[in-house]
Amino acid sequence: MTTEFPELAEAHLGGLLDQLGLAVPYSRASGDTLYFVDDTGAEVAVDDFVGGYGSLIFGHHHPTLTRLLHDLLERQVPVHAQFSRHPYANDLAAALNRVLHREFGIAEPYRAIFANTGAEAAECALKHAEMERGQRVAALIAEIDTHLDDARAAAAAGAGLPGDAATARLGAFTGVDGLIAAVRQHNTAQLARGPVFLTLENSFHGKLAASVQLTHNPAYRLPFRTLAAPARFVPVDRPGAVAKAVEAERVTVFDLESGDGAVRLVERDLPVIAAFFAEPVQGEGGIRPLDAALAAEIRQAAEAGGFPVVVDEIQTGVGRTGTFFAGAQAGLLGDYVLLAKSIGGGLVKNAVLLVRDSRYQPEFELVHSSTFAKDALSCHIGLAVVDLLEADGGQAYRTVRERGDALRAALDGAAEANADVVAEVRGRGLMQGLEFRDQTDAPAGVVRDFARNGLFGYMVAGRLLRAHRIRVFPTASAPHTLRFQPSLAVTDEAIARLVTGLTDVCALIRANDPTLLTG
């Protein structure tokens, strides 16, 4: 087809896909299979182990969900009915609460804020956490202001003021009014500091202006570092690192206590940390499950510091790891929970931020909105997804665990047979990763070249697609790790074909064979 325009839709990326052999225009999808039409007009099937980056727990075009979508369209349910009641959204929120309560053994309700994508849900969490932090700061300052007034009254009644040793950091002042002015000046300077967010090394929480600051990969984060509040990245393999990171961000303000005939200068912790973000399994960081001991450290630090834990279940949630919430396996209960991807059933865009009722800021609903969020299509599909997972006593979760075990056993076997090329297999349920050994110091050739420019995993993906009709991709921030996120209907035959393809790839890597790129 000719056109008067050059390619305008991400042409630079298209050129890279051409180079890697990944520029395939898929024409049809069903289950765990994508199809394209080759040069002869024949339809070619491709095993899809990408699964929409974890969005397809039920595969492409699940018949129950597809029929429901057709029915919803035929019934002309509203997509654009903003600023009205949405009972279907409330039904989905209630269903998510029932599952959350069961898996974590709690009773407190979680309020729901709807969005379109995982990155948008992360932005909602960032904004809500900062609003919540602002309330904590305002309450602290109001309390201090009351104490300053009390100190003025106490001094007028003859109470002694703190001595020079206690007030050395305030500088010179005269009398109680000078002391109060010095306290206010110090506190105003401290209050000018913005919030800080904590998250883990290898984290990924989106690529929007604020959420990208919580994504560890500097290639994504640093070009936009001036646009939003910064994050501090906590090591995942150092006991005590969470507490150390919290202490490093400690900021204090001054307060005055009055009593027993004296006014005393005291320090109060200023709420600086807005939230701690964590993934139960780090997806783009290389499919790395969260250690239970680290999860406990995060929860303990948050409770001591008064800030919320945001559990990012965008990839891991909705049954992906064998429970609805992967945090239940990691032992990490979130004050906020992010859901997206598979909650849309592979057909619609949907995302949800769940916020613990005791932390929820009702006024957030008036300062945040989203045109396409909370519509009837996405909410009805989301509720059907939950119903499918919960049906027959949670049979779907058992299937995920069984199919995940089969996939893991096959990958472990491939890794063991190619231990000189494969470093590790890791993951949970139907979220598995295979990490190749670092090839940046391989002998000169295509393997080393692509490893050094960060495209090693995409080169491998191109080979698997061209030679074996298998679709996989590396994780975004760990290009030596391939991800495997098929649906719960993935077959033994597809898994066997995957192992055959991986065995071929390992042989070509071992031989530094240029066929990896050109064959």
Side-chain angles (χ1 to χ4, degrees):
M1 182 176 68
T2 60
T3 176
E4 61 181 303
F5 294 109
E7 186 170 357
L8 301 176
E10 298 185 332
H12 177 72
L13 177 61
L16 180 60
L17 293 175
D18 280 331
Q19 180 186 7
L20 296 166
L22 295 170
V24 176
Y26 294 102
S27 56
R28 189 165 70 89
S30 177
D32 283 297
T33 308
L34 282 162
Y35 299 87
F36 69 90
V37 178
D38 69 13
D39 293 339
T40 70
E43 189 175 62
V44 179
V46 174
D47 291 320
D48 182 14
F49 280 89
V50 177
Y53 295 109
S55 299
L56 298 169
I57 191 62
F58 292 112
H60 296 276
H61 294 292
H62 186 276
T64 298
L65 300 175
T66 302
R67 283 194 299 270
L68 174 59
L69 182 58
H70 279 291
D71 178 62
L72 293 169
L73 292 172
E74 289 175 0
R75 286 160 46 197
Q76 296 182 323
V77 299
V79 176
H80 297 281
Q82 302 92 331
F83 216 68
S84 62
R85 283 203 174 273
H86 298 263
Y88 33 81
N90 197 64
D91 291 342
L92 177 53
L96 294 172
N97 267 267
R98 284 191 289 271
V99 178
L100 189 147
H101 290 171
R102 184 191 71 237
E103 291 194 346
F104 288 95
I106 61 172
E108 183 177 1
Y110 278 61
R111 305 287 180 167
I113 301 165
F114 287 85
N116 299 287
T117 66
E120 186 187 349
E123 296 274 318
C124 289
L126 286 157
K127 289 173 64 178
H128 190 281
E130 175 56 8
M131 176 175 277
E132 184 187 340
R133 187 188 76 91
Q135 294 289 339
R136 297 199 305 274
V137 171
L140 173 62
I141 296 306
E143 183 180 350
I144 290 174
D145 284 343
T146 298
H147 293 169
L148 297 183
D149 291 340
D150 293 342
R152 180 179 284 109
L161 299 181
D164 291 343
T167 60
R169 290 167 57 191
L170 289 176
F173 63 86
T174 302
V176 67
D177 288 337
L179 171 61
I180 290 172
V183 167
R184 291 189 190 279
Q185 182 178 6
H186 171 86
N187 290 354
T188 298
Q190 299 297 78
L191 289 167
R193 302 188 184 204
V196 168
F197 292 87
L198 298 182
T199 187
L200 299 171
E201 292 181 350
N202 308 312
S203 63
F204 184 96
H205 298 290
K207 294 180 182 176
L208 298 184
S211 60
V212 75
Q213 301 308 317
L214 279 73
T215 291
H216 190 214
N217 188 333
Y220 300 140
R221 173 171 43 87
L222 293 184
F224 313 104
R225 61 188 179 276
T226 60
L227 292 180
R232 306 288 186 256
F233 298 96
V234 179
V236 298
D237 55 357
R238 298 180 200 167
V242 174
K244 184 177 179 180
V246 171
E247 180 60 28
E249 300 304 325
R250 185 169 181 248
V251 174
T252 61
V253 291
F254 285 129
D255 194 1
L256 296 176
E257 288 184 352
S258 305
D260 299 325
V263 174
R264 292 172 293 278
L265 184 70
V266 296
E267 290 187 83
R268 304 280 299 277
D269 285 336
L270 178 68
V272 171
I273 299 172
F276 197 121
F277 279 66
E279 302 159 86
V281 180
Q282 292 184 319
E284 305 304 333
I287 316 297
R288 302 177 186 276
L290 181 66
D291 180 75
L294 179 55
E297 285 188 38
I298 294 170
R299 187 72 259 173
Q300 181 180 7
E303 290 174 0
F307 52 83
V309 174
V310 182
V311 178
D312 184 339
E313 295 264 14
I314 291 167
Q315 278 201 62
T316 61
V318 198
R320 173 59 54 185
T321 66
T323 52
F324 192 96
F325 296 97
Q329 299 175 50
L332 184 61
L333 173 64
D335 301 297
Y336 299 11
V337 181
L338 308 181
L339 293 170
K341 293 191 180 288
S342 280
I343 199 67
L347 297 172
V348 296
K349 299 176 179 68
N350 199 4
V352 188
L353 163 64
L354 298 174
V355 181
R356 185 192 292 268
D357 188 58
S358 56
R359 306 196 80 109
Y360 187 63
Q361 305 293 308
E363 59 272 25
F364 187 78
E365 300 168 16
L366 303 178
V367 297
H368 177 86
S369 61
S370 180
T371 297
F372 289 95
K374 206 170 59 172
D375 67 282
L377 281 180
S378 64
C379 289
H380 281 299
I381 292 292
L383 185 58
V385 168
V386 177
D387 288 344
L388 284 171
L389 288 168
E390 292 285 296
D392 300 323
Q395 177 58 46
Y397 305 123
R398 295 190 289 274
T399 300
V400 169
R401 292 192 289 270
E402 185 274 324
R403 291 286 74 202
D405 287 346
L407 175 60
R408 178 59 177 266
L411 293 174
D412 283 340
E416 183 177 355
N418 298 278
D420 60 324
V421 176
V422 177
E424 186 179 12
V425 176
R426 53 183 176 262
R428 289 199 178 112
L430 287 170
M431 187 176 183
Q432 298 291 331
L434 181 145
E435 182 181 358
F436 291 97
R437 297 193 183 279
D438 185 7
Q439 299 296 324
T440 55
D441 291 327
V446 66
V447 172
R448 188 185 71 179
D449 291 346
F450 274 75
R452 289 185 176 182
N453 64 21
L455 293 173
F456 173 83
Y458 292 99
M459 176 183 67
V460 170
R463 170 66 185 186
L464 288 169
L465 179 59
R466 291 190 308 274
H468 300 278
R469 302 306 186 213
I470 293 169
R471 176 174 154 91
V472 300
F473 286 136
T475 57
S477 299
H480 275 65
T481 299
L482 295 184
R483 71 173 83 220
F484 308 97
Q485 295 177 296
S487 82
L488 53 73
V490 63
T491 65
D492 289 335
E493 293 76 14
I495 293 173
R497 290 192 291 269
L498 174 63
V499 170
T500 298
L502 290 173
T503 301
D504 166 56
V505 162
C506 287
L508 295 176
I509 292 172
R510 188 179 294 113
N512 200 13
D513 192 326
T515 306
L516 265 171
L517 185 62
T518 61

